[in-house]
Amino acid sequence: MIEQTSLSIHDQENNSGMRKNHSELTYDSRSFYLNGERIFLNSATIHYFRMPKEDWRDVLMKAKLAGMNCIDTYFAWNVHEPEEGQWSFEGDNDCGAFLDLCAELGMWVIARPGPFICAEWDFGGFPYWLGTKDGVKFRENNETYLHYVHLYFDQIIPLIRKRQLSAGGTVILVQVENEYGYLMDDEAASAHMNTLRDGILERGIDVPLITCVGGAEGTIEGANFWSGADEHYAKLRAKQPDTPKIVTEFWTGWFEHWGGPSAIQKTASLLDRRIMEILRAGYTGISYYMFYGGTNFGGYGGRTLGSSDVFMITSYDYDAPLSEYGRVTPKYAVTKNLSYFVRAFASLLMESKNIADEQIQVRHPIGISVRGRQAGQEKVWFVESHKDERETVNITLEEGRTLPVSIHPGQIVPVLDRVLIADQVYLTAGALITGNEEINGELTLFVTADRGQRSVIELELGTKQASEAGDLILKDSTVQVLIEQDATRNAYRFDLFHFQEPGMMRIEANGTSIRFVILDRDTMNRTWRVESPDRLSLRYAIGFDDVDVTASGQVKGMITDPDRTIMLLGDWQDGEQTRTGREFSIQEAETQPESISAVDKEHPSVGVNAVAPVAPVLSGIPDYSRVTLTAQQRSSSGQPMDFSEYGQDFGYLLYECNFDSAVNGTTSLILPNIQDTARIMVNGTQQALVRQVGAAAVPIQVNQGQNTLQILVQHMGRLNFSPYLGERKGVAGAVFLGGQTQDIRRDWQMETGTVHLDEVNSVPVGTMLRRSFVLGDMDGAVLTGALSKGIRINGTEIPMPAYRDWFAFQTLDLSSYVKPGVLNTLEMPYSQSPLNRLELITYQNEHQLQDWRMAGTDALLPVSWESFDPAERSASYGQPVWYRWRFAQPVIDECHKVNLMIRLTGMSKGTIHVNGHHLGRYWQIGPQEDYKIPIAWLKEENELLIFDEEGRTPERVRLMLDEMSRYPWVMVGK
């Protein structure tokens, strides 16, 4: 017997004002216990701040329908305190209401208040103004930083405390900080992590505390990963042998950045495999990051590691199980099906231990491997294919029991071995079993395999009494089933076939009524378990492409094929039934208003199904407003200020100054510290768009005499994760005229020859490379790109205290290390290649530009509107322009759920606004093509504003509905 442990460090009696109940979360080395019952945490990561409040219920319900029993969410400090002391917990920012809705739906909650959250969110969740505080250092025991963290905790922790288990809520775990182990080991981190831990406890949190990637005393540590489940499990077990093993972030997909490829590499089949690896390793908690990604509205998309310009796109779809538009995907089906499997056999998975390799007696063919877990006499075998094609292979268990298993290349299939499902009834199954519970008085199991495949299950009956053997009776079956009996073991073998049509077989075994629902995989993807929040009502809907449950408990389903068979099982108001989708559509048509003709009602394919919604049309030729870029009336400063110094969180800054040139021609503009994309204009003519940032050298054309330089910078997001949090956004510090840049990726020397770092090389990591250069008459130098630690200039190593090899980008000021007029030697240990950037930028300090004027976003707003004339499109090309359209709200009936998006074909780069809502940044360099317009933000008449930096022509901009908007939804029942 393993003693259950509680992490409640504070005595509940000290938490005055908290409503007591009998809920208690404890744990042992295998799992958590809620009120003494083991629970497997199937958790969906969903961020309330990445969607309108009106969408919360639909998204949370989709998680519940997918078998999730828990919701994991961050809390974004910068959303709740956008300006110092100005707190926002209303409307879309009402995180307390989000937690309450989770409770209403019967979902537990893992609360992650930060203060640092990462999440590809601007500044990792920190408010921009925090970076303006004198002496502040982030994520350490810095007095200034902690002062503001505690003020944040004073606001956010009470909201969580009031909704934790001991107060009658459903918050069961609270996380301390986030991924601190990527910065330093636990010993070095302990002082700061313990400070944050104590700050949470002192404010009345009494549920267990967790951490991820790095721990703290008195907390349970989890692991974040996509692959390598075994290795992470071993590390957690060695570190904390007495705690449950949970995956605090299982990365179901990945983020995307401007100009990068679409992140669709983590396919549904790979997701299936990774989940099986997690179960096979022994984890008893999985938090799917992300389950639903949502959208980076406004300026909240962050910037991350890997290069100088990895800026998040506006969509945070993440290729997650639930799309940005709340639609189910193939990954959703995988997650749902395996969550149903976990629910069906959670006890076995949580109680089981790994079976040592030397104890495994399962025989299998070459190209197949088997690992197992065992609880008592029950076992589950994880059969893995290393073959190149799908095959049906045979495996032989103890006592010569041989089962066929259909398996894809790389797939892992769970095989249940003598698992007790009823009194003296033991199941062995070579197919995925995705349900195992009583429905309408019958024990019901769902047997799933690919369409056209066979599967074999076996029931072995024990003796009910010492003098009699158990018996089995086939009561009825809608499909042909081959049954073989092994009298010596009192076992019955059922050979099943999986059609598109669902099948059902009823038996009585040892007095227990059991029914098997036989499904192909596509039909299982369309199988939905609908449980009431109080868990007193259970229903299954089979055959719907999508399902929703209203606040009143009414179930609605979407049908893409009216000829598909629909099956309802369980506690339905009108009883169990089997019908076609067309019959449901006819029923729906019969309930429609009299305005729908009798012909439409009789033939719903031309009635309900035909009244598909259409996207609204933009109001013809848009109005437009040219933006005159000027900061003439603004105050001057010696050097450009960054966004925070200027007092602006996101948006645009215009930097402007005058300079003289002795000649006409080309020179260089040197920006030693620029952290965002920038348009460079001289005398009103655009010269360049700076994309690779950190530092930049830009060739510009100048006129003899006075010139006006303008730099238009869009804030593209602060680093969300890095040792270098809090970079100065925009243009910061001195800017120089003249100078040069060198791409120094080639011609590095080592003892055995020359290395070109823009090519693939096989060089031992750490090999010292050398390269020489001459400054000439320059006295300033910046090295920017993929640097590795240990760089030396003329024999002196340059300090890089916060360097991490995975950062892959850094900018170093070499000015105090280089020697003008002589040969300088640069040495750098080899790390990897090819490198996408490594530049040496040099300049003269005496050519610094002075007397800068600055203007913020407010100076770029439209002043007056004109009618856009396509014949005069060249008049505005090359300068910023606002466009304005009107459009009507989409006509939406009760039979459809629509999603609206905008496609910006032909535009350049800028921002989108609808009815005063900032929908986010856009940039037509991919991978994002369409941008979400939440239906909740629309009115009868709507205003669309687009700010385009280049004044591109807007003729091809259009509104669209997503593909699934055209399919009808029907009332299924209660």
Side-chain angles (χ1 to χ4, degrees):
M1 180 70 178
I2 299 177
E3 181 181 358
Q4 300 174 30
T5 310
S6 174
L7 281 181
S8 299
I9 296 180
H10 281 336
D11 190 291
Q12 291 188 14
E13 294 302 322
N14 294 330
N15 298 323
S16 60
M18 301 179 72
R19 180 164 54 90
K20 302 295 193 301
N21 66 11
H22 298 293
S23 294
E24 183 184 14
L25 189 75
T26 56
Y27 67 90
D28 63 14
S29 62
R30 297 182 191 172
S31 75
F32 289 102
Y33 289 85
L34 185 60
N35 300 330
E37 180 181 350
R38 287 196 185 275
I39 58 171
F40 191 109
L41 285 181
N42 261 323
S43 181
T45 300
I46 296 170
H47 299 153
Y48 61 91
F49 45 84
R50 279 185 156 127
M51 58 180 150
K53 183 177 184 178
E54 291 83 352
D55 292 348
W56 290 350
R57 176 177 286 275
D58 283 348
V59 171
L60 292 173
M61 180 55 70
K62 280 293 187 301
K64 184 178 179 67
L65 290 169
M68 302 292 110
N69 56 18
C70 186
I71 299 298
D72 170 307
T73 190
Y74 284 131
F75 296 77
W77 182 357
N78 52 10
V79 165
H80 296 298
E81 194 182 10
E83 297 290 343
E84 183 178 356
Q86 298 179 17
W87 294 96
S88 173
F89 293 99
E90 303 82 31
D92 296 342
N93 298 338
D94 191 350
C95 54
F98 181 81
L99 299 182
D100 293 339
L101 183 55
C102 293
E104 178 187 328
L105 297 177
M107 309 284 279
W108 300 314
V109 174
I110 300 173
R112 306 171 80 186
F116 170 78
I117 65 172
C118 185
E120 288 71 63
W121 194 250
D122 183 75
F123 208 176
F126 294 145
Y128 86 93
W129 51 263
L130 188 61
T132 68
K133 301 304 178 183
D134 291 340
V136 68
K137 294 183 179 180
F138 309 105
R139 305 185 72 187
E140 60 180 76
N141 278 359
N142 168 267
E143 183 178 354
T144 301
Y145 172 65
L146 289 178
H147 169 75
Y148 290 101
V149 167
H150 287 308
L151 292 177
Y152 165 65
F153 275 0
D154 286 342
Q155 295 286 329
I156 205 72
I157 299 302
L159 292 173
I160 298 171
R161 183 189 69 223
K162 290 189 296 185
R163 294 165 173 89
Q164 63 183 340
L165 278 178
S166 60
T170 59
V171 174
I172 59 172
L173 298 170
V174 174
Q175 181 173 298
V176 181
E177 233 272 354
N178 190 57
E179 297 181 323
Y180 205 75
Y182 287 135
L183 296 182
M184 58 187 72
D185 62 30
D186 286 359
E187 183 177 356
S190 63
H192 183 56
M193 289 292 286
N194 290 345
T195 297
L196 296 180
R197 177 204 63 195
D198 293 345
I200 291 172
L201 293 172
E202 289 163 1
R203 288 166 176 84
I205 296 299
D206 56 22
V207 296
L209 302 182
I210 63 170
T211 62
C212 65
V213 190
E217 183 182 356
T219 68
I220 300 170
E221 184 174 348
N224 296 0
F225 61 83
W226 156 252
S227 58
D230 289 332
E231 292 79 5
H232 288 286
Y233 187 93
K235 289 178 181 178
L236 291 177
R237 186 174 182 181
K239 195 171 182 179
Q240 292 187 330
D242 299 326
T243 64
K245 305 303 173 280
I246 57 176
V247 188
T248 35
E249 289 185 15
F250 172 49
W251 299 324
T252 62
W254 206 239
F255 55 82
E256 295 176 335
H257 63 274
W258 298 116
S262 181
I264 55 174
Q265 64 272 19
K266 295 176 180 176
T267 62
S269 59
L270 278 175
L271 181 69
D272 185 294
R273 173 184 173 85
R274 298 302 183 217
I275 296 172
M276 280 300 170
E277 289 173 347
I278 290 171
L279 299 178
R280 183 178 67 183
Y283 293 91
T284 55
I286 308 173
S287 193
Y288 293 86
Y289 187 104
M290 298 293 296
F291 186 83
Y292 167 81
T295 310
N296 296 320
F297 293 118
Y300 282 115
R303 171 192 185 189
T304 199
L305 314 171
S307 187
S308 66
D309 57 346
V310 183
F311 299 111
M312 298 299 106
I313 64 173
T314 295
S315 170
Y316 197 63
D317 180 89
Y318 207 79
D319 195 26
L322 205 58
S323 78
E324 180 184 9
Y325 295 89
R327 302 295 192 189
V328 299
T329 69
K331 285 186 175 180
Y332 181 93
V334 167
T335 306
K336 174 171 66 69
N337 296 348
L338 295 188
S339 294
Y340 286 10
F341 164 74
V342 167
R343 180 183 180 85
F345 301 100
S347 177
L348 168 59
L349 294 170
M350 290 187 289
E351 296 280 1
S352 64
K353 294 182 179 180
N354 183 63
I355 301 174
D357 290 346
E358 60 272 15
Q359 296 177 345
I360 295 176
Q361 301 179 25
V362 178
R363 286 171 281 163
H364 52 81
I366 295 174
I368 298 293
S369 60
V370 175
R371 288 170 52 183
R373 301 190 65 81
Q374 182 171 3
Q377 299 303 309
E378 300 178 319
K379 299 171 186 171
V380 55
W381 303 105
F382 294 91
V383 180
E384 180 177 355
S385 172
H386 308 280
K387 294 176 175 285
D388 296 328
E389 63 183 46
R390 185 180 73 179
E391 290 187 21
T392 298
V393 300
N394 289 301
I395 63 170
T396 298
L397 309 177
E398 293 96 331
E399 302 178 12
R401 296 171 293 134
T402 299
L403 290 176
V405 178
S406 178
I407 189 167
H408 292 262
Q411 187 180 14
I412 300 174
V413 174
V415 173
L416 302 171
D417 185 358
R418 285 179 169 151
V419 175
L420 183 68
I421 61 171
D423 183 21
Q424 294 295 310
V425 181
Y426 302 89
L427 170 70
T428 299
L432 182 67
I433 309 296
T434 53
N436 174 28
E437 60 189 329
E438 188 173 295
I439 303 175
N440 263 0
E442 288 183 294
L443 178 61
T444 304
L445 294 91
F446 295 83
V447 187
T448 305
D450 290 342
R451 181 183 304 171
Q453 296 300 301
R454 292 171 55 224
S455 68
V456 171
I457 60 174
E458 181 182 273
L459 294 181
E460 187 172 337
L461 307 185
T463 56
K464 299 194 71 173
Q465 296 180 9
S467 60
E468 64 180 52
D471 56 356
L472 184 144
I473 302 170
L474 177 63
K475 299 169 70 174
D476 63 73
S477 178
T478 65
V479 294
Q480 295 291 321
V481 182
L482 178 63
I483 304 176
E484 297 179 0
Q485 182 179 7
D486 183 346
T488 60
R489 295 190 298 111
N490 198 23
Y492 296 81
R493 181 186 180 99
F494 299 86
D495 195 330
L496 310 173
F497 194 85
H498 296 261
F499 294 101
Q500 295 181 58
E501 291 288 323
M504 187 178 296
M505 176 181 67
R506 281 185 164 91
I507 65 171
E508 183 178 304
N510 273 354
T512 300
S513 294
I514 303 175
R515 63 175 165 183
F516 292 94
V517 182
I518 305 156
L519 307 174
D520 76 341
R521 192 171 299 274
D522 288 340
T523 306
M524 184 60 223
N525 293 347
R526 300 186 185 98
T527 296
W528 304 84
R529 184 181 187 275
V530 183
E531 183 183 57
S532 61
D534 59 12
R535 297 181 173 86
L536 297 179
S537 173
L538 177 62
R539 294 161 288 171
Y540 274 85
I542 301 173
F544 293 100
D545 299 88
D546 201 348
V547 160
D548 188 22
V549 183
T550 68
S552 65
Q554 176 70 56
V555 179
K556 302 177 69 175
M558 186 183 77
I559 302 174
T560 61
D561 180 2
D563 293 322
R564 186 184 301 134
T565 295
I566 305 294
M567 182 181 290
L568 303 181
L569 304 178
D571 187 22
W572 294 95
Q573 200 170 57
D574 296 329
E576 295 190 348
Q577 53 190 288
T578 299
R579 301 160 66 183
T580 67
R582 192 174 301 278
E583 291 175 274
F584 276 96
S585 295
I586 291 173
Q587 172 184 292
E588 186 75 12
E590 290 172 347
T591 65
Q592 296 302 304
E594 291 301 320
S595 58
I596 296 179
S597 71
V599 173
D600 290 340
K601 292 182 179 182
E602 184 178 353
H603 303 284
S605 60
V606 295
V608 175
N609 293 0
V611 190
V614 295
V617 178
L618 295 175
S619 55
I621 297 174
D623 299 328
Y624 80 111
S625 178
R626 293 188 182 94
V627 175
T628 300
L629 292 177
T630 180
Q632 288 290 345
Q633 307 304 316
R634 302 299 174 119
S635 59
S636 300
S637 64
Q639 293 182 351
M641 292 186 290
D642 63 46
F643 272 79
S644 295
E645 290 173 315
Y646 188 79
Q648 185 172 303
D649 52 358
F650 304 118
Y652 286 88
L653 284 182
L654 175 65
Y655 300 85
E656 183 178 273
C657 74
N658 299 326
F659 66 89
D660 292 323
S661 174
V663 297
N664 291 319
T666 301
T667 186
S668 292
L669 180 70
I670 306 299
L671 303 162
N673 188 355
I674 181 170
Q675 301 297 337
D676 294 279
T677 61
R679 293 188 184 275
I680 311 297
M681 289 153 284
V682 178
N683 302 323
T685 301
Q686 181 170 308
Q687 305 281 308
L689 172 63
V690 177
R691 285 182 55 176
Q692 287 193 319
V693 299
V698 184
I700 57 174
Q701 292 289 326
V702 300
N703 299 331
Q704 185 177 10
Q706 188 178 74
N707 296 263
T708 299
L709 169 68
Q710 293 176 315
I711 307 174
L712 180 63
V713 178
Q714 184 181 25
H715 190 306
M716 297 298 291
R718 297 172 183 84
L719 285 166
N720 66 277
F721 183 83
S722 165
Y724 308 104
L725 281 177
E727 77 275 29
R728 300 176 67 188
K729 297 298 290 181
V731 178
V735 176
F736 303 91
L737 198 64
Q740 61 185 20
T741 181
Q742 300 178 56
D743 183 341
I744 60 169
R745 291 178 295 173
R746 301 185 68 81
D747 301 321
W748 288 80
Q749 304 298 317
M750 62 180 187
E751 292 183 2
T752 57
T754 301
V755 176
H756 301 310
L757 295 179
D758 59 351
E759 301 176 357
V760 175
N761 296 281
S762 298
V763 177
V765 174
T767 299
M768 190 62 73
L769 309 178
R770 295 173 180 81
R771 198 181 192 284
S772 298
F773 61 92
V774 178
L775 282 179
D777 59 354
M778 308 293 176
D779 58 0
V782 173
L783 185 63
T784 184
L787 312 179
S788 49
K789 190 172 185 179
I791 289 178
R792 297 199 294 252
I793 298 290
N794 301 322
T796 301
E797 184 170 340
I798 300 177
M800 299 169 68
Y803 178 85
R804 298 292 186 278
D805 57 5
W806 34 258
F807 187 57
F809 173 79
Q810 192 161 349
T811 299
L812 294 178
D813 187 346
L814 308 183
S815 301
S816 60
Y817 297 90
V818 295
K819 300 175 181 178
V822 300
L823 193 69
N824 293 270
T825 301
L826 175 64
E827 298 174 281
M828 183 173 72
Y830 177 84
S831 177
Q832 61 181 342
S833 63
L835 305 183
N836 64 4
R837 187 184 185 196
L838 189 58
E839 293 178 331
L840 179 66
I841 300 172
T842 57
Y843 55 90
Q844 287 182 295
N845 277 282
E846 64 178 335
H847 292 162
Q848 179 180 343
L849 296 174
Q850 303 287 342
D851 299 324
W852 288 88
R853 302 175 296 276
M854 293 181 61
T857 297
D858 60 320
L860 306 181
L861 298 178
V863 176
S864 61
W865 294 96
E866 306 174 49
S867 294
F868 178 74
D869 185 352
E872 300 178 3
R873 67 182 64 184
S874 61
S876 61
Y877 185 79
Q879 71 180 70
V881 171
W882 284 91
Y883 294 103
R884 180 176 68 182
W885 291 265
R886 307 283 181 183
F887 67 93
Q889 189 173 32
V891 177
I892 308 171
D893 57 39
E894 292 185 355
C895 298
H896 292 88
K897 289 188 173 186
V898 305
N899 286 311
L900 184 63
M901 62 185 72
I902 185 169
R903 181 166 290 180
L904 301 176
T905 305
M907 306 304 282
S908 65
K909 179 174 179 285
T911 57
I912 315 167
H913 311 258
V914 169
N915 298 334
H917 294 277
H918 191 333
L919 300 187
R921 311 178 185 101
Y922 73 87
W923 196 358
Q924 291 299 94
I925 60 171
Q928 185 167 1
E929 184 174 14
D930 302 318
Y931 298 80
K932 180 177 179 179
I933 301 178
I935 296 296
W937 291 349
L938 298 185
K939 302 180 289 188
E940 283 192 28
E941 292 293 328
N942 302 277
E943 180 183 66
L944 167 66
L945 299 178
I946 293 178
F947 175 73
D948 193 82
E949 294 179 17
E950 295 181 7
R952 291 291 185 112
T953 55
E955 289 96 327
R956 297 187 64 190
V957 171
R958 67 188 190 274
L959 301 175
M960 304 168 61
L961 302 181
D962 75 333
E963 180 185 357
M964 304 308 286
S965 292
R966 60 192 176 99
Y967 292 110
W969 288 68
V970 298
M971 290 294 182
V972 181
K974 274 195 168 186

